[in-house]
Amino acid sequence: MFAARQRVTCAARQLPRTARAYASESHAKPTNESFGKGSKLVGAALVGGALWYQIAPRDKESSSLSKLIAKYSSRAEDWEEINARHTKAEEQAGYDRNLFMNGGDSERTVDLSFPEAFGSHAPRNIRAGTLINLDHVVEHYRQEHLKDEEVKARKLERKE
């Protein structure tokens, strides 16, 4: 690598050097080489014509600008349809809830977070065989629940 670098430097020294001419060394007066008014008008007309062609509406069509505005604006018909769907969903949810809550199922049980709540007790100091059977208590509260449901159903029948 080093030998190749030496050879390149030697060859560069043997090449004849030419004098460089810089633009700053020129003694000519600076000239203004801007585009004329005519070329600027032609360019503006081309760009304006292309934009007008894109924006201008075709036969029986709305313009691109009005399409863009309509895309991001909400219409009353859309909101009316959305509200109608929400109302229908709410009515169906109310009907389903009424069906499940007042179905008249006689086998329904009392809703508890866990059924063992009736028999909860401290796990210490209890001798084996001393726990009581609480089935009669569960049955009592199930009957109370059924009576409450019948009263609610009668009230609903009177209101309708």
Side-chain angles (χ1 to χ4, degrees):
M1 180 85 178
F2 185 68
R5 196 179 292 166
Q6 279 182 342
R7 287 187 192 129
V8 169
T9 355
C10 268
R13 273 190 230 138
Q14 291 175 357
L15 291 173
R17 293 191 176 228
T18 57
R20 295 183 182 164
Y22 296 101
S24 62
E25 295 175 2
S26 174
H27 298 292
K29 291 182 181 179
T31 58
N32 187 6
E33 298 180 5
S34 69
F35 291 106
K37 291 181 182 177
S39 60
K40 290 180 183 177
L41 285 174
V42 168
L46 287 173
V47 171
L51 286 175
W52 180 260
Y53 181 75
Q54 291 295 323
I55 294 175
R58 308 291 182 263
D59 292 339
K60 298 180 183 178
E61 287 184 8
S62 58
S63 67
S64 303
L65 184 61
S66 57
K67 285 180 186 176
L68 182 68
I69 292 171
K71 181 179 177 183
Y72 290 105
S73 64
S74 61
R75 295 187 304 263
E77 297 86 20
D78 294 342
W79 283 106
E80 188 176 324
E81 182 182 345
I82 290 169
N83 289 338
R85 286 182 185 173
H86 283 211
T87 304
K88 187 174 182 182
E90 289 288 331
E91 288 173 355
Q92 185 65 39
Y95 174 77
D96 292 345
R97 180 174 179 162
N98 189 20
L99 180 67
F100 289 124
M101 295 303 288
N102 301 316
D105 187 8
S106 60
E107 295 300 320
R108 192 154 179 205
T109 59
V110 180
D111 296 327
L112 295 174
S113 58
F114 57 101
E116 293 81 17
F118 283 132
S120 61
H121 54 277
R124 299 178 300 275
N125 298 329
I126 296 177
R127 293 183 304 170
T130 57
L131 294 179
I132 337 173
N133 186 2
L134 296 176
D135 288 340
H136 65 282
V137 177
V138 173
E139 183 61 30
H140 169 74
Y141 282 107
R142 190 174 77 77
Q143 293 299 327
E144 289 291 323
H145 172 71
L146 291 175
K147 288 177 188 174
D148 289 343
E149 288 298 315
E150 288 174 7
V151 169
K152 287 179 187 177
R154 279 190 225 119
K155 284 182 182 178
L156 280 174
E157 286 176 1
R158 283 186 217 136
K159 285 183 182 179
E160 293 176 357

